[in-house]
Amino acid sequence: MTIHAADFRELRLEGMRRAFGTVNALKGIDLRIARGEFIALLGPSGCGKSTALNCLAGLLPLTGGSIWLDDQRIDTRRPEQRGFGMVFQNYALFPHMSVRRNVAFGLLMRGVPKAEAARRVEEALATVRLQAQADKLPGQLSGGQQQRVAIARAIAIEPPVVLMDEPLSNLDAKLRLEMRAEIRRIHEGLGSTTIYVTHDQEEALSLADRIVVMREGEIRQVGTPEELYAQPAHLDVADFMGYRNRLPGRIAGREGGLVTLDMGQGGRLTGTMREPLGETAVIAVRPDDMTTTDENASGVPATVRAIEYRGREFHGIATTSEGIDLFFHTERPVQVGTLVRLAAEPQRALVFAGEAA
Amino acid sequence: MSATAGPAPTLRLRLAARGLDTVTLLVLPAALVILALFLYPFLYGLWLSFRPKDGSLLGNYGRFFSDPFLYDTIWTTMRLAVPVTVLNLLLALPVAFRVRLMRRQRLLTTILILPITLGTVLVAEGMLFYFGAQGWFSRTVMTLGLSSGPVKLTNSYTGVFLSLLITGFPFTFLLTLSYVTGIDSSLEQAAATLGAGPRSRFRHIFLPLLLPGLAITFCLSFVQAYSVFPSAVLVGEPARITRVISIAAYQAAFEEYDYSMASAIAMIMGFTQLAVVVAVLASRQLAYRGPAGGGKG
């Protein structure tokens, strides 16, 4: 027998709300999470993602809504009765206990028999590859090792759900990549359900089965990494998914799902409509989809400000006459200071509702 | 000339490598103050204590430990200082745990530390009126029918005990609060998610991390209580039950004009409280004494 995740079918958030005084940190979150899923809560700081995690763990009481584990309502339970494993941003290891005692703590609290507890501690330590450090104090470990102890401690209790609050944000870049792979490996090895809070879209894209993009206490979009990457539903989601170029304009024409925007000064771009539009809209394009064109009828005129050679192609920055910076890739060596026209395939340019600002 | 060893490092460099440089000189004023105001009087008193009137080296100490009227003062003082300090700690701990979670922390803390600013004498005087035979306390108790005669809490062990409790609590509380708030709150949250209820969280997380700080708090509060003098005289029974060691020293110095004996009593007072402090600090070695944080962050 090995460590395995507790059995359940579905974790359900129904209108989960949390207010701090008059500030609504969570404005009614609805979400269904199936057993075994890896969910990333993604959003900028202050979007409520950490609040959501703390509410799930029971560290913050809800001010509205409910949380269900199958047919059991759990939001009224205290954290110690919920049994979710949690990995804290600062690890929160008990500094006066050895690594082994840290990992054993949850089992001790649950009254797991000694022999069984010892076996599970060894397995949890083996899972995070830390058997050799078992008798050290947390203060004697490196940041990456402390992180592993925190994970081992959370999984040793075989929780139905593991909650992780930006667990990699305190590590350096190289360690972050290693631990990212490690976290995914542990998740798959245990068949556990993981809810992972991050502000790093790369982390979310590479780890998660589904990403929940949050903004201002609300869910903006839920989808697989592929869906979010190719079809963001809102401008702020697109923003998060690397659509760095954003050009506002007036709608000059519609044809099927395609919309042509007039940016003034002879600039025109056609893109795919992503939501109902008024008279003005914003077109969003990824830098690697934005390129130079020779056609005079389409594209946006801009002056090249910087260009650098990246092996296969050039990456450049150009500024429109309105002062908007555009990031583009091109195979032609263009000179700094020259006027170019930048364009994108209509399928690769997304049009969102928005003010021409 | 090229590849040989360079000149030997200068004395200044060698000293700097051991952490001694011109900045070290800044220690001097403080060292002088300690020397003049603490070390010199102490050594002078120690020397004086070995020069009793009868001329023998240990005459004073012999007299002290053969006269129950004198050596009992140690027990009398301990009997006051130890329970007061323990009770203060036991009171300060739950209050600190509650205050830690409060928003209006500063207001409450101000109210709680007010007795510090009053001073022992004012508190003792207030107690004389409040807890005296005609005081509010006595009258309230009688009005409620809890006692047939007047209740007098002054001029007794209880009076000194209460006075030490009131004047000692703010100090104990402030120290305790700083130790309690020094513990990273995510440790408690982590313990909770691992299934630990409030009782277990206190026992397994807070208490072990607090022990070293509580030991220090105990020592500092104990030393304060051990040197009790004004309240032992004002609200105690200084001839008998609350004849603490500082009263014995005072009487030797200013009633018998035997400075040598007074110095000996002061030395005994110092060494008895040192013994308690050393014992408590030594037991501190058994506890974890590293930082109380949860890791990086």
Side-chain angles (χ1 to χ4, degrees):
Chain A
M1 224 177 85
T2 52
I3 292 183
H4 57 80
D7 211 10
F8 73 103
R9 275 175 293 131
E10 184 183 65
L11 176 70
R12 221 159 54 244
L13 318 185
E14 289 181 357
M16 186 167 85
R17 287 171 175 281
R18 171 70 207 187
F20 295 99
T22 54
V23 181
N24 283 318
L26 290 179
K27 301 170 186 166
I29 301 288
D30 293 294
L31 191 63
R32 285 162 173 264
I33 296 165
R35 193 193 147 185
E37 266 193 305
F38 197 122
I39 300 284
L41 298 184
L42 176 67
S45 57
C47 72
K49 57 191 192 300
S50 284
T51 307
L53 203 70
N54 283 325
C55 286
L56 273 171
L59 300 172
L60 276 177
L62 304 187
T63 44
S66 53
I67 306 172
W68 300 79
L69 201 60
D70 292 336
D71 50 4
Q72 287 181 317
R73 185 169 174 174
I74 61 164
D75 58 283
T76 47
R77 292 190 198 165
R78 286 188 306 211
E80 58 263 34
Q81 298 162 330
R82 254 177 237 201
F84 287 180
M86 178 139 177
V87 178
F88 290 77
Q89 190 171 9
N90 70 352
Y91 317 144
L93 301 179
F94 307 131
H96 57 300
M97 296 185 191
S98 67
V99 167
R100 193 188 306 274
R101 282 186 59 212
N102 261 284
V103 178
F105 186 79
L107 302 171
L108 179 75
M109 290 300 116
R110 282 169 167 65
V112 175
K114 268 215 171 102
E116 157 96 8
R119 183 188 59 75
R120 269 158 72 172
V121 169
E122 288 315 310
E123 272 167 24
L125 287 174
T127 306
V128 298
R129 302 180 179 129
L130 265 186
Q131 297 106 309
Q133 326 289 335
D135 295 312
K136 290 189 179 165
L137 287 178
Q140 297 168 298
L141 303 180
S142 70
Q145 289 172 330
Q146 293 187 9
Q147 177 63 80
R148 287 163 200 256
V149 179
I151 293 173
R153 188 175 66 175
I155 60 174
I157 59 174
E158 304 188 345
V161 178
V162 180
L163 308 169
M164 297 195 180
D165 189 3
E166 309 219 18
L168 305 184
S169 60
N170 280 331
L171 302 178
D172 62 53
K174 182 170 171 285
L175 212 50
R176 211 154 40 219
L177 281 181
E178 276 176 40
M179 282 308 294
R180 197 199 279 177
E182 197 89 326
I183 285 173
R184 185 70 213 187
R185 177 182 67 79
I186 292 166
H187 168 83
E188 275 163 12
L190 304 182
S192 55
T193 308
T194 307
I195 301 177
Y196 185 102
V197 160
T198 180
H199 63 263
D200 180 341
Q201 88 276 20
E202 213 184 296
E203 235 171 75
L205 288 170
S206 66
L207 277 172
D209 299 320
R210 280 197 300 157
I211 299 175
V212 178
V213 182
M214 292 184 62
R215 194 104 180 192
E216 288 166 3
E218 287 172 320
I219 293 181
R220 300 315 295 267
Q221 191 174 1
V222 182
T224 64
E226 296 81 11
E227 282 166 6
L228 289 192
Y229 195 76
Q231 295 160 354
H234 298 281
L235 189 56
D236 42 18
V237 180
D239 194 12
F240 242 103
M241 290 296 143
Y243 289 75
R244 282 180 84 181
N245 298 314
R246 288 183 301 278
L247 282 162
R250 261 184 338 96
I251 292 170
R254 302 177 191 234
E255 197 191 336
L258 298 183
V259 181
T260 301
L261 252 59
D262 184 348
M263 287 91 185
Q265 315 288 338
R268 262 169 186 262
L269 274 181
T270 304
T272 309
M273 190 169 86
R274 292 295 298 152
E275 57 188 346
L277 304 173
E279 294 208 338
T280 60
V282 175
I283 193 160
V285 187
R286 242 187 260 280
D288 45 341
D289 293 324
M290 194 78 150
T291 188
T292 50
T293 176
D294 293 326
E295 289 174 39
N296 272 337
S298 72
V300 184
T303 312
V304 179
R305 278 225 336 269
I307 189 97
E308 57 184 41
Y309 184 54
R310 290 288 182 88
R312 192 175 294 178
E313 55 184 5
F314 294 88
H315 292 190
I317 306 174
T319 311
T320 66
S321 55
E322 260 108 43
I324 299 171
D325 282 344
L326 296 177
F327 302 86
F328 65 96
H329 294 183
T330 178
E331 291 174 354
R332 283 193 331 206
V334 288
Q335 296 294 315
V336 172
T338 53
L339 194 69
V340 292
R341 292 190 81 83
L342 297 175
E345 293 285 323
Q347 294 77 24
R348 297 289 190 153
L350 306 179
V351 184
F352 297 98
E355 288 294 304
Chain B
M1 280 308 271
S2 56
T4 54
T10 61
L11 179 66
R12 175 188 278 216
L13 274 178
R14 275 180 287 145
L15 284 176
R18 288 167 177 269
L20 289 170
D21 52 27
T22 43
V23 180
T24 319
L25 290 177
L26 292 175
V27 173
L28 269 185
L32 282 178
V33 167
I34 289 178
L35 213 65
L37 295 182
F38 181 76
L39 213 54
Y40 169 71
F42 173 76
L43 290 175
Y44 180 74
L46 190 65
W47 176 78
L48 200 63
S49 73
F50 288 118
R51 307 205 47 176
K53 284 175 175 167
D54 63 10
S56 64
L57 191 66
L58 292 169
N60 286 330
Y61 293 94
R63 206 182 119 202
F64 186 92
F65 286 110
S66 59
D67 184 355
F69 191 58
L70 289 173
Y71 68 68
D72 272 354
T73 56
I74 297 181
W75 165 240
T76 304
T77 321
M78 288 283 180
R79 215 166 59 100
L80 268 171
V82 173
V84 161
T85 311
V86 170
L87 185 63
N88 255 337
L89 263 181
L90 290 181
L91 287 175
L93 208 54
V95 178
F97 265 88
R98 185 68 196 85
V99 169
R100 158 186 87 110
L101 305 170
M102 286 181 31
R103 290 227 194 113
R104 297 272 174 103
Q105 224 187 75
R106 202 170 288 174
L107 180 74
L108 191 89
T109 307
T110 311
I111 294 173
L112 284 174
I113 65 165
L114 217 56
I116 271 190
T117 60
L118 298 177
T120 346
V121 178
L122 196 66
V123 170
E125 231 175 295
M127 283 179 59
L128 280 179
F129 291 115
Y130 188 82
F131 287 122
Q134 290 300 313
W136 291 3
F137 182 76
S138 177
R139 287 188 203 183
T140 311
V141 169
M142 284 199 297
T143 311
L144 292 175
L146 296 173
S147 165
S148 50
V151 180
K152 194 176 160 197
L153 293 181
T154 53
N155 301 101
S156 65
Y157 174 84
T158 320
V160 185
F161 190 93
L162 283 174
S163 147
L164 284 179
L165 203 64
I166 293 167
T167 49
F169 178 77
F171 184 76
T172 316
F173 165 72
L174 278 186
L175 271 177
T176 310
L177 181 66
S178 73
Y179 283 115
V180 168
T181 50
I183 293 178
D184 186 348
S185 60
S186 68
L187 294 184
E188 189 190 8
Q189 298 182 331
T193 60
L194 290 166
R199 201 181 282 257
S200 300
R201 296 203 288 268
F202 181 77
R203 199 179 127 212
H204 294 285
I205 310 302
F206 281 113
L207 195 60
L209 291 174
L210 278 176
L211 268 182
L214 292 183
I216 297 269
T217 310
F218 177 89
C219 288
L220 293 174
S221 306
F222 169 76
V223 166
Q224 268 199 336
Y226 197 76
S227 55
V228 53
F229 182 73
S231 58
V233 175
L234 288 168
V235 290
E237 195 188 346
R240 216 164 46 86
I241 295 180
T242 67
R243 193 179 131 83
V244 292
I245 192 163
S246 56
I247 293 182
Y250 170 82
Q251 285 175 339
F254 301 109
E255 290 177 12
E256 299 165 22
Y257 297 105
D258 185 348
Y259 289 121
S260 177
M261 184 64 200
S263 299
I265 297 176
M267 288 302 140
I268 290 165
M269 182 177 169
F271 281 107
T272 44
Q273 61 183 345
L274 190 69
V276 172
V277 167
V278 166
V280 171
L281 290 187
S283 61
R284 195 174 83 114
Q285 301 289 333
L286 304 174
Y288 168 84
R289 286 185 302 146
K296 297 199 170 185

